[in-house]
């Protein structure tokens, strides 16, 4: 009968539309999962970069500290050398004054 055929055709169309909707939903779920995985990977990379930057910052701070310590040691040696040089100059002047007297 025409009513049965029409009802069957509507049912077939509804099933096909349901399949399309299910496929769309499946594809969307896959896309959502991929986006979520990409976001998680980006967060992991960001955290790794942050940790690496912290390590580099710490290493640079240690290098700066060592440089400042070395600079302080060199300044102390220069001061000691200048003091010795002044002593030597004073001694030389004393000897020269003794000779002229």
């Amino acid at each position: 009968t025409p009513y049965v055929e029409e009802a069957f055709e509507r049912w077939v169309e509804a099933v096909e539309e349901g399949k399309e909707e299910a496929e769309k939903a499946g594809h969307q779920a896959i896309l959502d999962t991929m986006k979520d995985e990409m976001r998680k990977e980006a967060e992991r990379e960001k955290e790794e970069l942050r940790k690496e930057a912290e390590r580099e910052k710490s290493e640079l701070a240690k290098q700066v500290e060592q440089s400042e310590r070395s600079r302080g040691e060199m300044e102390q040696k220069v001061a000691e050398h200048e003091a010795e040089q002044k002593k030597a100059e004073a001694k030389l002047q004393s000897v020269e004054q003794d000779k002229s007297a």
Side-chain angles (χ1 to χ4, degrees), residues 19-82:
K19 284 183 182 177
E20 288 177 16
E21 290 299 317
E23 280 185 29
K24 287 180 185 176
H27 289 144
Q28 188 61 47
I30 291 169
L31 289 174
D32 290 346
T33 301
M34 290 173 65
K35 286 179 185 177
D36 190 47
E37 288 299 316
M38 291 173 70
R39 182 187 54 77
K40 288 178 183 176
E41 181 63 25
E43 287 176 4
R44 281 191 292 269
E45 288 177 4
K46 181 180 174 183
E47 183 63 18
E48 287 176 16
L49 289 173
R50 186 193 65 74
K51 287 179 180 178
E52 184 177 334
E54 284 295 321
R55 282 191 297 270
E56 289 177 1
K57 181 179 174 183
S58 175
E59 184 60 34
L60 286 174
K62 288 177 186 176
Q63 290 177 3
V64 166
E65 183 181 325
Q66 180 62 38
S67 294
E68 289 175 351
R69 194 176 308 123
S70 295
R71 179 177 160 217
E73 291 170 0
M74 290 302 293
E75 288 175 347
Q76 183 178 352
K77 287 180 182 180
V78 167
E80 289 171 0
H81 178 73
E82 288 174 348

